[in-house]
Amino acid sequence: MTGRREPLDRICNIIRSRTSQAVYLMAGPGIGKTALTEAITDRLASEMIIVQIHGSSSLSSVPFGVLAPYTAELNAEDSVSPVAVLRSVWSYFEKLKGGKETPLLLMMDDAHHLDEATASIVADMISAGWASVVAAGRPRPGLPQPMAQLWYDGLADRVDLRPLNRDQIEEVLSHALDGTVPAGTVDTIWSASGGNPRLLDALLHDAAERGVLAKRNGIWMLLGPLPSDGPKLTGVVVKDMLRRSAEEQEALKLVALAGPVRRKVIEDTSGAEVVRALLDQQMVVEGSGTPADLRMWNAMFGDALRSSLSVSRSLQLLETIRDQLETSPAGSEGRLRAVEWALECGLRVSDPDLVNAARTALAYFRNRSSRIMAARVTDPELLPQAQAVQARALFNDGDYAGAAKMADGCWLQLGTGEGAAPALMVSLSAHQALGTPLEVLAAHAREELRSVDANASGRASPEDPSSAPVKPWWDQLLCLLEHGEAGNHAALAGEVQELRSRDSGDATHGALRVVGTALLAHSLAGDGRAVQGLDAALLAASELPALQGGVFFFNEFVLGRLVANYLALGEWESAERELANYALGDPHSAAAFAGNLQVLRGYSLLRQGRIERAYQTLLPAVEILRLNDPLQMFRFGSALGFYVAARLGDTAQATRLELDYKDSQPCAANQELLATAYAAAASEYLSRDGKGLASVHTLATTPEVSARAGTLLELLAVCWDLGDHSVIPLVQSVAAGVEGRWAEAMLTLARHWESADADALMNTASTLEASGFVNLAREAYARASSVLENSGERRRARQAVALREKCDHELGERFREGQFIAAAPAVHLTRREQDIVELAVQGLTDREIAQRLMVSVRTVEGHLYRTYVKLGVRSRDELATALPH
């Protein structure tokens, strides 16, 4: 009963304590009523005499039908007498008890199917206290009136079983799968199952059988979409449909095939009463719009139902409502489904409808459907748009070679149309993912356009000598990308200013503004001017709504640079807020870009010094990016993962990630510099031979880094983390010219570090800790403790050590759940700590330990606290499993 412990415990406690004679367990189909009643039976079997009764729809109109096994000795006349039936049932129960005082528990499944007569008998038993009752049923239609009345009168408790929430789904998966299940896998399975345990079980079974759910380097990954036509899920659908009337089956098929579909369409075909019944049973759900539309209660259930229908049957159903669908479409998603359905039945769809539907499918990341529809377009004028859509769909699926081949040239055919710039961006992104440098791509693109005449390229007419020549849009875009790659914020600023000074209002011009402003924001952050960079990133974000619905991922392009600026400033909470809001506002895109988002989140945790949480986040992220890396961050993520694994002493994972880093394609210039630095630092953590540190020093002196104050300061921080204090004077000089709270914190720490003023260091540490820079506060406390110890102030030195350990405890959130996570670095306990821990594990209290070892209670408490920090645990209960062997 993973995920259902709370209701299980609650119901058993009610029955045992007799605070109520009856508990009504209410839940929709597939939510787990039967499994929970079986768990209750298993738990209480040794304490009570349990009698099981199962309601049945076939007996719902037969008085006392389900009680037939207990009334076999009654004659025909008595078998319909409530008094005679009650006596017979009670006599049967007394025989079971055999004169013992063992309490009786009546377990009733599908109690919503009980006939009124049986319900009255059960209600009488409850009222008389003859037996305790657990009755499981559906909220709609609910329990029969005699039993429901007892709840209204306060004589019965009710427990509503809800679908599993995300945390419960995560608990189920961690229990069922041996390994680590990353957040993206949990989210996808939770969304697909809707928290329904029956669907969850079917989806997991079918996904594992198909190899879609597979273990990679100890991490459970989804290698493709969850199958909707697997045998287990199909069995669930078939079994459910067999329990329904022919009219309900017909209506469900129509909703599955057409949904979302206007409610009136289904009511006109199947009848309003049937629709109301399906809504009551929660098999279909109604949208909040006007007019109302219907869709299946669960998308996977609907997909499975569709896949079970033959093409001829599907066509037959389509013909029954085709005219109504054309005159009453249910929004863009409804029109998309109408096109998909027509194609499934072999019908012809107009090219404009195909292009529009393919774009809509792209927005929902229904990539296969988008490709199929776009591939059917033949109109020469629409063909370039369709090819751009196909290219993006292939890109979404990680087929970068296919995307590059499809995108090549189509952007040129679009001319100055609104889709031209996004199509070129997709083409460049696909080629870069394949390892082609931007400079090569730009040269090739310009070569293609040599034959474009002056009018098509946007150059000024010879008859207008007063007009300054304007570069064609494609040349402007390439220049922006090249300046961004070089980190040339001065040139970028000039280009962006020029773009904004002549706002033409067309979509291509808007796309150039957004790209240029976002690149400028990133360049400014690397240069140490993150405040200005943040302003630019926010400006780019404000212009995104005008670019929605295109084939390029402008949202994510801007988001990454916005988060980079927040991190450069040290605004950790703001960075996380942006990532969380994005995922909440666009879950389809968040799922497609999950690996990239998790790398950004892991990078943020690393910058905060939360290394173990960064480790927990980055390793699954790298595995996701191995499958699909739309923003080309695999190399950067691998370098960060290599770094955190090495820093934690996980040599096996570090070695694997080092190979990933070395074998990957170079990433964007600024990320490449950081990736190189973190990889070199990781090598230093593994070998401790000085070579990795020397590599970081060398990198910091290159023109590419020395010209970027923000990047340089981050590299100096990496050296400082490696224990190289020789960089502290340089930190002071560089940090003084870098904007943001983080640079200010680094500057303050560096100044007081060199002054060796213990009081100033303690005050600085306290301020840093309060400001959220816990890792820097930890260093300040450590430095203060050393200064105080050297000056003979041992009491204050111990206080500084305790505060440093408090920071360690906050930063060192030990992560032990995944099987792929290696053991923590070797922990060294003092002799005294070992003695105290051994006694604590045996169950002795602090006072008993103090008496045994003849020390003070406070000494015991202090040693235990420091041991918790070293072992990464929070309580005595975790000590035994955390002790080094």
Side-chain angles (χ1 to χ4, degrees), residues 454 457-460 467-473 476 498 502:
S457 67
R459 296 186 184 277
S467 298
V470 177
K471 288 185 291 189
W473 69 265
Q476 286 181 305
E498 192 274 331
R502 55 174 188 83

Side-chain angles (χ1 to χ4, degrees), residues 18 29 129 156 211 247 252 279 320 363 463 557 563 566 596 636 732 748 764 784 797 808 828 868 876:
R18 301 219 177 177
E247 295 78 12
L252 281 174
L279 284 168
T320 64
E463 287 78 16
F557 186 85
V563 170
Y566 276 126
N596 301 120
F636 183 56
Q732 286 192 62
T748 302
T764 296
D808 286 339
H828 301 288
Y868 292 169
R876 287 172 180 254

Side-chain angles (χ1 to χ4, degrees), residues 85-98:
V85 169
L86 183 58
R87 286 175 177 169
S88 179
V89 170
W90 182 246
S91 176
Y92 179 87
F93 291 167
E94 285 296 307
K95 289 178 182 177
L96 285 178
K97 294 176 71 173

Side-chain angles (χ1 to χ4, degrees), residues 548-741:
Q548 299 306 308
V551 297
F552 185 67
F553 35 89
F554 289 106
N555 281 359
E556 295 72 24
F557 186 85
V558 172
L559 176 68
R561 287 151 179 84
L562 179 58
V563 170
N565 271 277
Y566 276 126
L567 296 182
L569 291 168
E571 302 286 352
W572 323 125
E573 295 82 1
S574 297
E576 176 56 34
R577 184 189 67 241
E578 291 294 338
L579 292 171
N581 288 344
Y582 165 80
L584 186 64
D586 193 352
H588 296 290
S589 296
F593 289 85
N596 301 120
L597 298 180
Q598 289 299 90
V599 166
L600 290 174
R601 187 168 276 119
Y603 179 43
S604 173
L605 292 166
L606 187 161
R607 293 288 301 273
Q608 297 173 56
R610 302 182 185 278
I611 303 301
E612 300 236 8
R613 287 184 60 195
Y615 183 59
Q616 173 188 354
T617 303
L618 286 167
L619 267 65
V622 170
E623 294 307 315
I624 296 171
L625 294 181
R626 201 184 301 279
L627 300 174
N628 193 9
D629 182 17
L631 299 181
Q632 285 91 63
M633 293 176 71
F634 179 78
R635 183 174 172 87
F636 183 56
S638 297
L640 298 181
F642 176 27
Y643 176 82
V644 294
R647 188 161 167 178
L648 291 172
D650 186 347
T651 305
Q653 287 289 358
T655 301
R656 182 179 66 79
L657 288 162
E658 181 181 18
L659 291 175
D660 285 335
Y661 163 72
K662 290 181 176 179
D663 292 344
S664 58
Q665 302 288 351
C667 45
N670 195 52
Q671 285 187 355
E672 182 67 20
L673 292 173
L674 294 174
T676 304
Y678 280 109
S683 298
E684 181 65 27
Y685 277 114
L686 289 183
S687 63
R688 288 295 183 182
D689 58 4
K691 294 180 180 178
L693 179 59
S695 296
V696 181
H697 274 283
T698 301
L699 182 63
T701 61
T702 61
E704 294 85 357
V705 174
S706 58
R708 303 180 182 186
T711 303
L712 175 57
L713 184 58
E714 186 169 350
L715 265 61
L716 296 175
V718 169
C719 294
W720 195 340
D721 280 340
L722 282 166
D724 178 12
H725 296 161
S726 69
V727 300
I728 294 176
L730 187 54
V731 168
Q732 286 192 62
S733 61
V734 174
V738 174
E739 297 175 347
R741 294 172 62 246

Side-chain angles (χ1 to χ4, degrees), residues 832 836 839 844-860:
R832 178 63 77 187
I836 290 175
L839 295 174
L844 274 67
T845 66
D846 290 354
R847 185 168 297 279
E848 290 170 339
I849 295 172
Q851 291 172 350
R852 179 79 62 89
L853 299 178
M854 293 183 292
V855 296
S856 69
V857 174
R858 180 166 295 183
T859 298
V860 173

Side-chain angles (χ1 to χ4, degrees), residues 158-212:
R158 172 170 169 158
V159 174
D160 287 282
L161 203 58
R162 307 292 183 188
L164 298 172
N165 59 35
R166 188 195 180 284
D167 289 342
Q168 290 170 325
I169 291 286
E170 188 169 21
E171 181 187 352
V172 171
L173 294 178
S174 64
H175 184 268
L177 304 175
D178 177 26
T180 293
V181 187
T185 302
V186 175
D187 290 338
T188 300
I189 293 174
W190 177 44
S191 175
S193 67
N196 185 290
R198 185 168 58 182
L199 284 190
L200 174 64
D201 178 67
L203 289 171
L204 290 178
H205 178 275
D206 290 342
E209 286 291 312
R210 292 276 180 90
V212 172

